Amino acid sequence: MSDKEYFEKISLGLKISVERTLKRKAALGEYVVYAHPDGTPYSIPATEALDRYMSERK
């Protein structure tokens, strides 16, 4: 397996994991925590985070 194939496999796995996590949290009505570029944390509803994530993937 080449480095490129390995990277693509890892990248796909991470994308699937993030999507599953956001869907689960959205179904439970939970929030997710992110950080601004300066490091300060903020939270948003998982439904909003999922919408943003899915729109960026297209």
Side-chain angles (χ1 to χ4, degrees):
M1 178 181 296
S2 71
D3 287 344
K4 183 178 179 183
E5 291 171 329
Y6 182 74
F7 175 76
E8 288 172 357
K9 196 171 192 176
I10 296 295
S11 181
L12 177 61
L14 287 171
K15 288 176 184 178
I16 291 169
S17 176
V18 168
E19 186 175 333
R20 284 182 184 166
T21 300
L22 289 175
K23 284 181 178 179
R24 183 184 58 80
K25 286 184 165 287
L28 295 172
E30 296 180 347
Y31 283 71
V32 292
V33 178
Y34 291 108
H36 290 288
D38 66 359
T40 57
Y42 67 97
S43 62
I44 60 173
T47 52
E48 183 180 336
L50 180 60
D51 289 343
R52 288 183 188 183
Y53 180 75
M54 297 306 285
S55 69
E56 289 176 6
R57 284 195 63 194
K58 293 180 181 179

